[in-house]
Amino acid sequence: MKWSAMRNALAAALLFVAAGCPPVPPPTQPIQPTQPIQPTQPIQPTQPIQPTQPIQPTQPVSDCDRHLPLRVRFYDVAQALAALVTLPDGRTILVDAGDFSAREHCGPSCKTAHDHLVARLKADLQDHPIDLLWITHQHSDHMGGAEDVLKSFKVGVLVDNGLEPARQQTKATHDAASAGGVPSVAIDLDHRALPIADGAGVHLESLVPSKWPADCPPNANDCSIGLRIDYCASSILFTGDAEHLEEDAFTVRAATLLQLGHHGSDTSSSDSFIHRVAPKYAVISAGKPGEGTNRGYCHPRKSVVDRVTAALGGADGDPIVAFDAAVHCGQDAPANWPAVPASARLWATERDGDVVLVTTGDGTFTRELPPATTTTTTTTMPTTTPTPTTTPSTPPPAQP
Ligand SMILES: [Zn+2]
């Protein structure tokens, strides 16, 4: 380079500095390449929203969860049957109406028994009607009190088996019903439906064989129409005076409480029948030894108390005085009426008086003692043992 050129370049440089040109900044840190952006995790689709459980409507309290009482009162009507059932909804059914108060050969027993029935019905019904009067058969110790019951109480409907319409007590009963405007309904082989409806948790059912036993008629006992009442896990079976032939003809299933047929007579409650019904509780409605018409019938029988006690699990209750049938009834002596060991779940009106049993539908029954004692028990029962009397001079006529 020539000297002049060098001089010009130097001059230009000095001019540049003099003009304030900023110094060149130090070199910055080399820019590090940024980390490659990692792809984000793919967005997982959200779980599908599960449909919420449909809101269940509030379940109504079941009829069995209400634990309402069903009460059955076996009245002490001597050698007869009358049992008032009060359903959980308050409706009432009277199964048989005891004997005719002025029955021949009965003495004061039938009047005393009928007066007791009327008094108890007045107290227990409290002006409520008898919604259904159910007569199992036409014998006096079941139908005899019906005429007066129909005249004394408001009755919804009368049921019987439709047989023997011309019989005096049958006619009087139907006449009393007609006079009171009470409809009469026959339950028989072709008509099994009850004239009143089932209730809450309650099913009502007639018990009629597929055909009447060979001895029906003339044996009215074997023409009995039974009544079954189911209330949740509890059930009651009434069989009137059905004897072995009709028991064999019945189609039955297990029942919790059984009214023993024919007042505990050994013509009823066969081994087979008791096995099929398999009751947990049982009631005998019978008169005391030597009382009224029971002078001629001698109910209950020792063999039945033994058999039913065994079926109920053994003798763990107070004894029941029963006829051992070693001699003919009517020739009996006190020795023929032993105190028979019995189950605490077997009651007898001859020993216990009125037997009031209550269930809440749970498959158990509890005996309810009269209000005066208020205690409720299933095991404590009166220990009174009736004293048999001597042979009556005038036994009543043949077997009802
Ligand atoms: Zn009877």
Side-chain angles (χ1 to χ4, degrees):
M1 179 181 297
K2 293 180 180 178
W3 169 247
S4 59
M6 292 176 63
R7 188 180 55 199
N8 292 339
L10 180 61
L14 289 173
L15 183 63
F16 183 80
V17 169
C21 183
V24 175
T28 58
Q29 291 295 321
I31 298 171
Q32 295 298 324
T34 58
Q35 292 295 320
I37 298 172
Q38 295 296 326
T40 57
Q41 292 295 320
I43 298 172
Q44 296 295 327
T46 55
Q47 292 294 320
I49 298 173
Q50 295 294 328
T52 55
Q53 292 294 320
I55 298 174
Q56 295 293 330
T58 306
Q59 290 291 325
V61 176
S62 101
D63 295 324
C64 298
D65 290 338
R66 297 180 195 275
H67 306 298
L68 296 174
L70 180 152
R71 194 169 273 104
V72 53
R73 298 172 170 93
F74 290 88
Y75 293 120
D76 179 10
V77 287
Q79 166 47 44
L81 176 65
L84 179 70
V85 180
T86 303
L87 300 175
D89 61 11
R91 290 180 301 159
T92 60
I93 301 171
L94 181 62
V95 179
D96 288 334
D99 213 328
F100 177 49
S101 62
R103 179 171 171 179
E104 201 174 3
H105 304 298
C106 188
S109 172
C110 285
K111 181 173 187 334
T112 301
H114 182 71
D115 289 349
H116 176 68
L117 173 64
V118 171
R120 288 315 317 163
L121 287 175
K122 284 181 178 171
D124 294 332
L125 288 166
Q126 296 279 322
D127 294 328
H128 190 95
I130 297 168
D131 293 286
L132 171 62
L133 174 54
W134 182 280
I135 302 297
T136 59
H137 64 295
Q138 280 77 7
H139 275 156
S140 181
D141 55 328
H142 299 256
M143 179 180 261
E147 177 187 359
D148 192 46
V149 165
L150 282 157
K151 290 177 177 175
S152 304
F153 298 92
K154 186 173 181 349
V155 175
V157 59
L158 167 70
V159 161
D160 67 9
N161 60 13
L163 300 174
E164 300 188 75
R167 187 173 176 273
Q168 192 274 329
Q169 280 184 345
T170 310
K171 190 170 183 311
T173 299
H174 287 174
D175 288 348
S178 298
V182 179
S184 298
V185 173
I187 297 284
D188 58 21
L189 304 182
D190 302 317
H191 308 88
R192 297 164 184 270
L194 268 69
I196 67 171
D198 289 347
V202 172
H203 176 61
L204 306 170
E205 189 177 323
S206 65
L207 180 63
V208 182
S210 56
K211 65 176 185 179
W212 294 119
D215 61 343
C216 164
N219 180 6
N221 289 340
D222 267 349
C223 307
S224 293
I225 50 172
L227 175 64
R228 182 184 174 104
I229 301 172
D230 281 271
Y231 173 39
C232 299
S234 301
S235 50
I236 311 172
L237 185 61
F238 295 96
T239 62
D241 279 356
E243 300 184 7
H244 292 161
L245 282 180
E246 191 175 17
E247 287 179 342
D248 290 347
F250 281 145
T251 299
V252 290
R253 58 189 187 279
T256 317
L257 169 63
L258 175 64
Q259 170 250 316
L260 292 178
H262 200 193
H263 319 282
S265 166
D266 53 7
T267 58
S268 302
S269 303
S270 69
D271 277 331
S272 164
F273 187 70
I274 294 300
H275 178 75
R276 285 187 291 148
V277 177
K280 293 182 172 62
Y281 307 87
V283 176
I284 296 169
S285 182
K288 293 177 174 60
E291 176 188 75
T293 59
N294 205 30
R295 292 172 299 168
Y297 307 131
C298 297
H299 296 150
R301 296 299 167 98
K302 177 181 181 298
S303 59
V304 171
V305 175
D306 285 340
R307 186 180 309 142
V308 174
T309 290
L312 295 178
D316 56 356
D318 292 327
I320 293 174
V321 172
F323 183 53
D324 69 4
V327 296
H328 289 296
C329 182
Q331 300 173 336
D332 53 309
N336 303 122
W337 289 88
V340 182
S343 167
R345 292 157 297 286
L346 171 61
W347 293 277
T349 55
E350 56 145 314
R351 180 194 64 185
D352 302 316
D354 294 339
V355 176
V356 181
L357 302 175
V358 62
T359 181
T360 56
D362 63 353
T364 68
F365 281 84
T366 301
R367 186 175 180 206
E368 200 172 68
L369 294 176
T373 53
T374 64
T375 307
T376 300
T377 177
T378 55
T379 56
T380 304
M381 291 173 287
T383 55
T384 306
T385 301
T387 303
T389 59
T390 53
T391 304
S393 56
T394 312
Q399 193 84 314

